[in-house]
Amino acid sequence: MAPQLLGYRLMAVNLSDLAAMGAAPRWCTLALTLPSADEVWLDGFSRGLFELAERFGVSLVGGDLTRGPLTLTLQLMGRVERSRMLTRGGGHVGDDIYVTGTLGDSSAGVALIMERSAAPPGSAAAALTQRFQRPMPRVGAGLALRSLATAAIDISDGLLADLAHLCKASGCGATIDVERVPLSAELLSLFPPQEALAHALGGGDDYELCFTAPPSRADEIEAALEASSTPFRRIGQLVDDQVVQCRRDGEPFMPATRGYRHF
């Protein structure tokens, strides 16, 4: 991957974590371990990193530089009032489950990269690979939701895996209507429906937000996310259970995968 894309992604995935907590990004520290002082590589990496840092008002305030195998470590800090902070543990039985954007594009983009499939500019393949290489963190949506949502998490391990983390912290389960999971036209144009859905449910690396809110907040959420130009969709509900279940047209549905497992 080009160094500019590495710098961009390093900042993007950390911004996504702050977005999921409703925090305004402020500062970062950067630790770089480099095999050598490659000025060309560092120039590209820095341009990618600061593209997003400047867009979201993040200042680099410290860090470390050492020689060794290439290792990139960014720590991002932000601010949010404790009473408005979003966590994984605030969901309640009966809350609606929402996601922003479309899911599965990044995972499909990785599949195309691994297959070395051609991705001409402007093509569906290029759009999917860009979703992996240049994810856009939902900082504005996180700020808009912090007085409305009960719980939130960003989707990095896959929808089902990350929703399971939210449910575990909230002490409940979830039911997902898979026909409501938002899929992009580009994804559906290059992958069969079942494969596209598998990318969306378990692929990961979307860096969209999954959040919950009581049904009584539906109109406020619609207004807040439309004001921040964020597409979203309600896909299910938190239930009095301990597992995340899928259904299609009201019938039980078994997903092909449930996402990334760290250990």
Side-chain angles (χ1 to χ4, degrees):
M1 182 178 283
Q4 186 169 349
L5 294 176
L6 284 176
Y8 181 99
R9 269 186 60 88
L10 185 64
M11 181 63 69
V13 300
N14 280 276
L15 284 166
S16 184
D17 280 325
L18 287 189
M21 299 191 76
R26 288 291 181 266
W27 315 278
C28 69
T29 61
L30 174 65
L32 286 181
T33 300
L34 301 173
S36 63
D38 184 334
E39 293 186 12
V40 174
W41 190 95
L42 283 167
D43 177 68
F45 173 79
S46 298
R47 282 188 282 114
L49 187 80
F50 285 105
E51 176 184 344
L52 280 184
E54 292 170 0
R55 175 170 182 158
F56 291 104
V58 176
S59 298
L60 178 61
V61 296
D64 189 31
L65 182 63
T66 55
R67 182 190 296 273
L70 179 62
T71 307
L72 317 174
T73 306
L74 190 76
Q75 177 171 294
L76 198 62
M77 293 154 276
R79 301 190 68 171
V80 60
E81 298 91 338
R82 183 178 295 275
S83 62
R84 305 176 73 194
M85 180 173 65
L86 296 173
T87 70
R88 302 176 181 186
H92 302 94
V93 172
D95 282 356
D96 289 328
I97 302 168
Y98 297 85
V99 294
T100 61
T102 56
L103 304 184
D105 295 340
S106 179
S107 174
V110 171
L112 294 174
I113 292 170
M114 299 299 289
E115 292 171 0
R116 300 185 183 276
S117 299
S123 67
L128 295 180
T129 56
Q130 182 158 305
R131 279 295 304 274
F132 168 71
Q133 294 169 339
R134 293 176 56 85
M136 180 54 65
R138 296 292 189 179
V139 174
L143 295 174
L145 289 169
R146 59 187 178 181
S147 295
L148 300 173
T150 52
I153 190 170
D154 74 323
I155 301 174
S156 55
D157 296 342
L159 171 62
L160 297 182
D162 286 312
L163 179 56
H165 299 327
L166 185 152
C167 287
K168 181 178 180 180
S170 295
C172 55
T175 298
I176 297 298
D177 295 305
V178 298
E179 70 272 15
R180 295 193 57 81
V181 174
L183 309 177
S184 71
E186 292 83 2
L187 179 63
L188 290 170
S189 72
L190 293 180
F191 292 84
Q194 286 293 102
E195 192 173 346
L197 185 59
H199 281 300
L201 294 177
D205 256 341
D206 291 303
Y207 300 104
E208 296 290 352
L209 298 183
C210 176
F211 65 94
T212 61
S216 60
R217 293 280 199 180
D219 291 342
E220 294 173 272
I221 287 170
E222 181 177 3
L225 292 183
E226 285 185 353
S228 66
S229 301
T230 306
F232 71 99
R233 184 176 293 176
R234 184 180 63 80
I235 61 168
Q237 192 173 53
L238 294 183
V239 297
D240 187 10
D241 202 341
Q242 298 298 314
V243 297
V244 176
Q245 297 181 332
C246 296
R247 62 188 180 190
R248 171 182 275 170
D249 300 324
E251 298 297 322
F253 175 84
M254 183 61 66
T257 177
R258 286 189 169 266
Y260 178 73
R261 295 176 63 90
H262 291 264
F263 296 101

